[in-house]
Amino acid sequence: MPTNSAYQVCINPTCRKTFDVQEVHSGCPACGNLLDVAYDWNKLPVPKSLRDFEARWSTQQNPLDYSGVWRFRDLLRFASDDQIVTIGEGQTQLRPSNSVAKYVGVNDGNLLLQYEGLNPSGSFKDNGMTAASTHARMVGAKMTACASTGNTSASLAIYGGATGLFDVAVFVGSGKIAFGKLSQALDYGAATLQIQGDFDDALKQVRDVCAREKIYLCNSVNPFRLEGQKSIMYRVLEGLNWEAPDWIVVPGGNLGNSSAFGKAFAEMKELGLIKRVPRLAVINAAGANTLHQLFNQQSVRWNDGHTDDAKIDTFFAEMDRDNRRASTLATAIEINRPVNLKKCLRALAVCDGVVREVSDDDILDAKAKVGAGGFGCEPASAASVAGAKLLREQGIIAPSERVVCILTGHQLKDPNATVGYHSSRPGEIDEKLKSAGITEVKFPNRPIQVANDLEKILSVLRDLG
Ligand SMILES: *Cc1c(COP(=O)(O)O)cnc(C)c1O
Ligand SMILES: [Zn+2]
C-alpha cells in the first residue's frame, strides 16, 4: 500500500520524530517545529526520468492525469488514487515575455512567467488545497478551515463547494482583503468569519479553534498542502523541456511556496531526476519584510536545521513589543509572522537562495509591465518581477541567465489596485493608493474621457495614432 511508504517527520534534526500519514498535526507534538511529509522512495515506483511523465499527456481523460498536480503523483504519493480530491487544478502555463525581459534587463527569451492565476480559483493556492483536501478526506474530516489574506480562503472554499465533501470555514482579517477574493469565499458558500484584526491574528485564532474542535486546518503549516505546491516546479521544468532554469523568483508571504519549491528540488536531486538545482530568490514587500530582516540583516540561516532560534524569538518579541504590523498593498504577502520561516531557510540553503525586499511603488510598476505584456497578475505576484529587476540591477542575475518569475495570482483578484494605478498620473496619485503610501506611478494607462460625439471620438483616436 502506498500510504505505508509515506509518513510525517519533524524538521528539527535533534527531534526527527515520525508520525503516521493518517495522523493530523499542525506541528510536531514533541517539539513544536514544522512537520514534513517524507517518503520511503525505495518502496515506491519512482520514474527514472522526468520525461516519463509525458506519457500522461495522452491519458487526460483520467482526472488524475488531467490535473497538473496529480499527473506527478509519483512524487507526492501519500494517498492512493481513489482518495485523491481534484477539480482540475494546475492547468497553468510557462510563457516567455520579452517586454518583461526588457523591463527586468535580461536577454530576449530569458524571462518566463509561470502563470498560476489560471488555476480554478485564480491563484497557485489550488495546487496545495487539492493535496490538503485529499488528506482531509483520508482522515475523515467533515469541516475544513483556514485563515487567509484572501486566496487561501477562495481556494479552500472552491474545494468545499465543488466537491461537497466538506463544510468550509474561513477566517479573514477585517482590514484589507481584496474584493475579488472575498467575493469568491462568499459565492462558493464558505462560512466567512471576519476577525477584528489582521492575518496574523486570524491565523492564531483558527489554529486554536482547530486544536479544540475536530476541524481540519488547511493553512500552510499543513505539510500535505506543500506537497501539492511542489508541482508548480515540476510544471516549470516540463515547460522548459525538463531543464532547470537559472533562477526561480517567487514572492514570499507565509513562505509555503518557497518551502515547497526547495523540497521539490531537494527530492528530485536525491532521486537523480535533475542534475542542477536552480537558484531561488524570495521577494518580500518592504512593508512585510520579516524574512529579509532575519536573512539579510541578522544572517539567520538553516544551518542543517540548527537555526538560531534565540535570534528569531527575539526578533518576534521586539516586533510584538513595538506593535509592528505588516502593511503593503500586496495584500497576499502582508504577513509579518511567516509560519514556514524555517522550511524557507532550508529551501534557501538547498537552492543557494537570496532574499530581497521591494517597495509597493516598484511592485505596482512591475504589475503594470506584466499586464501590458498580456499576463495580468495581482500586486503580490508582481513582487517577483520587481525582485528580478532589482537582482539584475545589483548584478546578482546576469542578462544571459534564464529567469522564471512565479505569477501567483490572477489580475482580477484585486481590480481596485489596478484601476487606482491606471487612474493616477505622475504627481497626482489616486486617493486610495496615496493613503496606502504609493508616491509614484511610472506606467499609468489612463481612461480617456470623451463626449458622446462621433467626431470628437475620432479626433481622440487620430491623436493616439
Ligand atoms: C499566498 C500568496 C502568496 C504568498 O505565498 P506564500 O506561500 O504564503 O509565501 C503570494 N501571492 C499570492 C497571490 C498568494 O495568494
Ligand atoms: Zn519535533
Side-chain angles (χ1 to χ4, degrees):
M1 254 314 281
T3 47
N4 292 338
S5 40
Y7 54 97
Q8 303 179 70
V9 59
C10 176
I11 66 165
N12 173 3
T14 57
C15 172
R16 297 300 285 176
K17 272 207 162 44
T18 61
F19 306 92
D20 193 272
V21 85
Q22 289 290 342
E23 290 180 46
V24 180
H25 301 289
S26 63
C28 174
C31 76
N33 271 287
L34 295 164
L35 296 178
D36 266 333
V37 180
Y39 305 92
D40 191 346
W41 298 110
N42 296 324
K43 292 190 194 152
L44 289 168
V46 180
K48 294 213 168 28
S49 154
L50 288 171
R51 213 166 276 287
D52 293 356
F53 287 114
E54 291 176 9
R56 296 201 171 129
W57 294 349
S58 61
T59 49
Q60 288 199 8
Q61 68 279 19
N62 174 356
L64 300 190
D65 291 348
Y66 179 75
S67 164
V69 175
W70 298 105
R71 75 168 170 271
F72 300 102
R73 55 195 176 277
D74 312 74
L75 299 176
L76 52 146
R77 198 30 121 176
F78 64 83
S80 56
D81 283 3
D82 59 337
Q83 294 169 315
I84 289 172
V85 178
T86 175
I87 60 168
E89 58 287 318
Q91 303 305 317
T92 63
Q93 302 186 45
L94 183 74
R95 308 289 301 177
S97 170
N98 284 345
S99 57
V100 178
K102 189 157 178 243
Y103 181 64
V104 166
V106 296
N107 299 343
D108 270 9
N110 277 0
L111 197 291
L112 298 113
L113 300 170
Q114 175 67 18
Y115 194 33
E116 290 298 312
L118 290 176
N119 273 292
S121 82
S123 85
F124 79 84
K125 297 295 196 306
D126 295 351
N127 293 283
M129 228 41 98
T130 182
S133 300
T134 295
H135 188 244
R137 180 195 215 172
M138 285 167 67
V139 301
K142 297 279 173 293
M143 185 181 233
T144 56
C146 68
S148 181
T149 62
N151 281 333
T152 303
S153 55
S155 183
L156 188 60
I158 203 176
Y159 278 88
T163 67
L165 288 168
F166 319 103
D167 289 327
V168 172
V170 303
F171 291 49
V172 297
S174 51
K176 290 199 237 165
I177 184 169
F179 248 47
K181 306 176 188 184
L182 180 59
S183 69
Q184 287 180 287
L186 299 173
D187 218 21
Y188 298 138
T192 305
L193 281 64
Q194 283 193 295
I195 310 291
Q196 286 170 17
D198 63 11
F199 170 80
D200 295 311
D201 298 319
L203 179 60
K204 182 173 183 316
Q205 292 297 350
V206 76
R207 288 184 80 153
D208 290 349
V209 165
C210 291
R212 288 264 286 272
E213 302 291 322
K214 267 186 82 82
I215 299 174
Y216 186 90
L217 181 65
C218 288
N219 280 98
S220 55
V221 289
N222 179 321
F224 294 92
R225 212 183 105 179
L226 299 195
E227 289 306 289
Q229 289 172 215
K230 293 191 303 192
S231 68
I232 300 169
M233 291 302 102
Y234 308 148
R235 296 197 298 275
V236 164
L237 294 177
E238 187 176 44
L240 293 172
N241 201 17
W242 310 109
E243 236 177 72
D246 297 296
W247 287 92
I248 301 286
V249 191
V250 63
N254 238 339
L255 306 178
N257 235 3
S258 45
S259 299
F261 297 175
K263 187 169 188 282
F265 287 119
E267 288 172 352
M268 284 188 282
K269 189 95 204 296
E270 183 196 337
L271 292 168
L273 293 170
I274 49 170
K275 290 195 195 70
R276 194 171 56 86
V277 168
R279 295 189 70 186
L280 179 67
V282 184
I283 313 299
N284 273 166
N289 65 354
T290 294
L291 180 68
H292 164 71
Q293 292 210 32
L294 287 175
F295 190 80
N296 292 326
Q297 282 158 15
Q298 313 240 16
S299 300
V300 174
R301 292 292 181 276
W302 171 241
N303 197 21
D304 290 325
H306 304 281
T307 46
D308 191 339
D309 291 359
K311 234 183 213 174
I312 297 172
D313 292 346
T314 305
F315 178 86
F316 286 125
E318 287 176 1
M319 194 168 81
D320 287 345
R321 186 199 60 201
D322 302 344
N323 199 22
R324 267 186 277 136
R325 294 287 172 162
S327 176
T328 167
L329 267 173
T331 51
I333 51 175
E334 189 178 44
I335 295 172
N336 250 356
R337 205 176 268 282
V339 297
N340 286 296
L341 175 66
K342 287 191 185 177
K343 284 187 177 178
C344 177
L345 292 171
R346 181 176 65 181
L348 290 163
V350 167
C351 299
D352 187 16
V354 298
V355 178
R356 289 294 182 273
E357 61 170 350
V358 291
S359 71
D360 280 8
D361 282 8
D362 290 345
I363 287 175
L364 290 191
D365 286 337
K367 178 179 150 353
K369 283 290 175 187
V370 171
F375 290 92
C377 68
E378 65 170 283
S381 313
S384 62
V385 171
K389 183 175 193 297
L390 176 64
L391 288 164
R392 176 65 207 93
E393 284 161 6
Q394 295 175 338
I396 313 279
I397 292 179
S400 59
E401 290 187 303
R402 196 143 67 157
V403 181
V404 173
C405 292
I406 311 299
L407 296 186
T408 46
H410 200 281
Q411 183 181 36
L412 297 179
K413 291 283 191 173
D414 192 357
N416 291 356
T418 307
V419 175
Y421 181 92
H422 288 298
S423 305
S424 301
R425 64 176 122 202
E428 199 182 308
I429 308 296
D430 166 85
E431 275 313 314
K432 277 218 184 88
L433 293 195
K434 199 156 112 190
S435 62
I438 295 296
T439 61
E440 201 195 347
V441 298
K442 292 210 180 89
F443 314 111
N445 179 24
R446 284 169 62 80
I448 301 164
Q449 306 294 332
V450 56
N452 185 15
D453 177 296
L454 180 61
E455 289 312 317
K456 291 202 168 111
I457 292 170
L458 286 172
S459 112
V460 164
L461 290 176
R462 282 184 197 123
D463 287 351
L464 293 177

